[in-house]
Every structure is written in structure tokens, then in C-alpha cells.
Amino acid sequence: MFEIAAIVIVLGAILVLYRALKGPRVYDRALAVNIIGTKTVILLALIGFIYERPHFLDIALVYALINFIATIAFLKYMETGGLD
Amino acid sequence: MDIQAIITGILLALGCFFIVVSSIGIVRFPDFYSRMHPAGKSDTLGQLLVLSGLMIYEGFSLVSVKLLIIIVFIFIANPTVTHALAKAAYVSGLKPWKKEEGKND
Amino acid sequence: MSFVITALIMFIFWILLSGEFSFILILSGVFSSLLVSYMSHDLLIGEGNIKLGIKRTFRFIRYLPWLFWQIVMANLDLVYRTLHPKMPIHPKIIKFKNDLNTDLGMVILANSITLTPGTITIEVNENEFIVHTLSEESAQSLISGEMQARVKKIEGKYNV
């Protein structure tokens, strides 16, 4: 059950990867990368359940935080040309 | 098969459905602003459904509390990122696509 | 006061995340939660009225069921528009007046708009909301102002 869900989510991420490669503007790429990151959080949680290792959830939590901060930092850099 | 596993399966299936539809939407929609709609909505709901399915499978324990923390964080962070992206694009002067004028992307 | 509350919340969070009760873990938890709340205790609580904050939290929890219902409706609508072969979308940008007084209210309304039918918040400032809508109906339902009235109820009659 968890394996099927994980495979479906990976397929979704591959679809979004098309947009990240092709996206006409940098914002499209940033959006696609952010969406792949949030899918990765779900994938990590599912992997934790598949292999019965609850410690994967900590990685998922930290990945969610880093993904959020990374997108915001990237956008700030795009908007102002610096991170001061 | 007990009742918990069945509910988990239904929630996982629904969540995967919404996640895949949001991916299709991101590929199909014609311009940046309309691509934000599947990113901001369907993806959030899909993640919510998958993670709550895992919570029901686990029952009440420390693991489900961690899942709840991830859900709350995603629920706040995902619309915020969408809003930040839309604002960055708007400030940079990107014009939205209109049906009458045809494609400009 | 805000220092003590922040330290307590940080320590509860530490215990939830670690889940072990050995001496060295508890000690480092106490130390790091005190350090974090010394550095940033004005960020979490701020100078606001704590009683009012608790009242608003309960009002916000009462607002959640309606929000979830709206989110489900929004997603069914979006799934229909995504999978329809002709994609019946009419995107445009609308502006409407901002009646809210507090930052909290603006954040709640902006995130709710992003999560509900066919609308994405682009910009919020003191005077107006700029919103991108996907269809004519969602623009109409937003201009009618039902959601803003509900968020105003969470805010209460104080301007802090």
C-alpha cells in the first residue's frame, strides 16, 4: 500500500520535473523546485513507514523547514539581488 | 484487513490523486499565475490527506504527533511560499495570460 | 513573562521531538530552550495581550471547519478545470479593499484566499488586496466579502 503511494508520488514529481526543465521563466522553475521539495517530504514520511523506521520523520520535518527557507531565500535574492 | 488499514488506504489513494492532478495542472496550465493555483491548493490538500492517512495507520503515539507538526507546518508554509512567488513575479512585471489575446508564453 | 512562556513551549516541543528521557537529553533540552528563548522571546509572543490572543485562537479553531469545507470544494473545482480537455479558465487580476486592522487577520485572510476556490493572493498592503482569480464565479464570491466578514469576526473589535 505505501509502496504504491510512493511510486505514484515519484511519477508526479517526474511530471513536475518537466516544468522545471522547460519553464520559460525563472519563477516557473522556482515553483517546480518547491513542489518537488514538498513531494519529497511526503516521500520521506512514506519511506519511514515502508521500512518501519520512524526516524525518517525527523528528516521529513527538517526537509520541510529547509525547503521553505530555501525558496524564500531564493526569491529574496531574485528580488533584491542580495541577501542582506 | 482491519478498519484502520482500509481508511488509510482510502486517504492515501485520495491524496495521491490530488498530488498527481496538481502535477498535471502545473504541466498543462498556460501561464505562471494559473500554474500557482494547483501548486497552492491541490498539493496542500494531497499532502494533508496522505499524512493524515499515515497518522490513522499509526494510531496515537509520538510518531503521529510528529506527523501532525509536519501537517500544521505545511498548512502554513505552502500558501506563504505561493504568495511569495506570486508577489515576486508581480513585482517583476509579469503580465497574466488572457484567453482572448492568445498565448504570450 | 514572554520569556517564561517561550521557554516552556520550546521545552514541550523538544520533548515531543526527542521522545527520550535520559539525563543528558533533558539537560541539553533545558539549556537550549533557555538559550533560544533568551535570544528570541519577543518574536513568538510579541507585545500583544495574551488573553486576547487565547480568545482569538479559539475563534480561529471555530473558523477551521468552514475553511476545510471550502478547501475541499476548491479542489474539486480545480480538478474539474485541470482535467477538462478545453480547460475552462478565465484568469484575471482583481483588487478589493482591505477592511482588516491586524497583521494576524491579514495573514489568515491571505492564506485562506490562497487555499480556497480559484483565487491566489498576490499582494497585501494596508489599503487593498490584489488577487489572481481563475474563473468568473470565484471572483464574484470573493468580492461579495463573506470570507472577509468571517475573518473580521476572529479579529474581534480591538485594533491591536
Side-chain angles (χ1 to χ4, degrees):
Chain A
M1 178 162 71
F2 297 132
E3 289 89 342
I4 300 170
I7 290 169
V8 170
I9 288 171
V10 169
L11 289 179
I14 291 172
L15 277 178
V16 181
L17 192 62
Y18 167 78
R19 180 54 67 196
L21 289 173
K22 188 171 172 278
R25 290 200 173 72
V26 68
Y27 302 110
D28 291 293
R29 293 176 207 268
L31 173 71
V33 169
N34 178 47
I35 295 300
I36 291 175
T38 51
K39 286 194 199 329
T40 311
V41 174
I42 305 296
L43 200 60
L44 281 168
L46 280 170
I47 287 173
F49 274 78
I50 290 171
Y51 295 109
E52 290 173 358
R53 285 189 185 170
H55 293 292
F56 267 90
L57 281 180
D58 296 322
I59 306 175
L61 187 57
V62 172
Y63 199 90
L65 293 166
I66 290 177
N67 188 38
F68 175 64
I69 298 293
T71 312
I72 296 288
F74 177 74
L75 288 173
K76 194 176 172 189
Y77 186 77
M78 281 300 301
E79 241 177 284
T80 62
L83 289 178
D84 305 325
Chain B
M1 282 290 265
D2 54 337
I3 188 86
Q4 250 177 338
I6 295 170
I7 295 175
T8 307
I10 293 170
L11 284 175
L12 282 183
L14 276 175
C16 288
F17 172 71
F18 279 117
I19 285 177
V20 169
V21 166
S22 90
S23 309
I24 294 173
I26 288 170
V27 173
R28 264 195 91 190
F29 275 148
D31 85 319
F32 173 71
Y33 291 108
S34 34
R35 272 173 217 143
M36 317 246 29
H37 289 266
K41 289 191 266 279
S42 294
D43 220 51
T44 314
L45 186 70
Q47 289 171 358
L48 194 78
L49 289 171
V50 171
L51 289 177
S52 40
L54 294 180
M55 260 172 87
I56 287 171
Y57 185 81
E58 177 64 29
F60 187 78
S61 73
L62 219 57
V63 172
S64 53
V65 172
K66 268 179 208 168
L67 283 169
L68 186 68
I69 292 172
I70 298 180
I71 288 178
V72 170
F73 180 75
I74 281 178
F75 211 73
I76 300 170
N78 233 349
T80 312
V81 167
T82 314
H83 167 58
L85 270 161
K87 191 183 172 188
Y90 188 73
V91 167
S92 84
L94 186 63
K95 289 270 176 296
W97 175 87
K98 288 246 170 53
K99 200 157 210 172
E100 297 79 42
E101 293 165 14
K103 286 192 172 179
N104 62 2
D105 243 332
Chain C
M1 189 63 190
S2 65
F3 178 81
V4 178
I5 294 174
T6 313
L8 267 178
I9 292 174
M10 291 294 152
F11 189 62
I12 292 170
F13 208 64
W14 174 281
I15 289 186
L16 284 180
L17 286 181
S18 87
E20 287 175 41
F21 293 94
S22 65
F23 175 72
I24 184 75
L25 273 176
I26 295 287
L27 194 70
S28 49
V30 169
F31 182 73
S32 49
S33 53
L34 285 178
L35 186 69
V36 167
S37 36
Y38 172 70
M39 288 192 292
S40 58
H41 63 92
D42 50 340
L43 287 179
L44 186 61
I45 309 281
E47 287 156 10
N49 187 339
I50 291 172
K51 228 176 181 177
L52 189 61
I54 292 171
K55 237 187 225 169
R56 276 183 187 154
T57 312
F58 279 110
R59 287 200 209 119
F60 177 65
I61 290 171
R62 249 186 285 156
Y63 167 74
L64 279 179
W66 182 78
L67 183 64
F68 274 116
W69 175 241
Q70 288 292 310
I71 290 172
V72 172
M73 294 305 288
N75 278 286
L76 294 179
D77 181 60
L78 193 68
V79 165
Y80 166 72
R81 283 178 204 283
T82 309
L83 296 181
H84 195 284
K86 283 186 191 145
M87 263 199 297
I89 58 173
H90 302 276
K92 66 174 183 179
I93 287 182
I94 60 168
K95 299 177 181 181
F96 66 95
K97 206 170 154 294
N98 175 5
D99 279 336
L100 301 169
N101 300 314
T102 62
D103 287 348
L104 180 76
M106 285 182 215
V107 169
I108 293 175
L109 182 57
N111 275 10
S112 308
I113 285 173
T114 301
L115 287 170
T116 50
T119 47
I120 294 271
T121 316
I122 292 176
E123 168 135 330
V124 184
N125 53 37
E126 274 132 37
N127 304 317
E128 60 182 6
F129 278 79
I130 302 176
V131 177
H132 181 262
T133 61
L134 206 55
S135 67
E136 200 59 45
E137 306 93 74
S138 51
Q140 288 309 321
S141 75
L142 196 61
I143 291 172
S144 74
E146 192 201 349
M147 187 179 271
Q148 182 145 327
R150 280 176 192 267
V151 175
K152 207 153 171 63
K153 228 182 270 171
I154 298 177
E155 233 181 15
K157 49 183 178 285
Y158 301 97
N159 292 341
V160 191

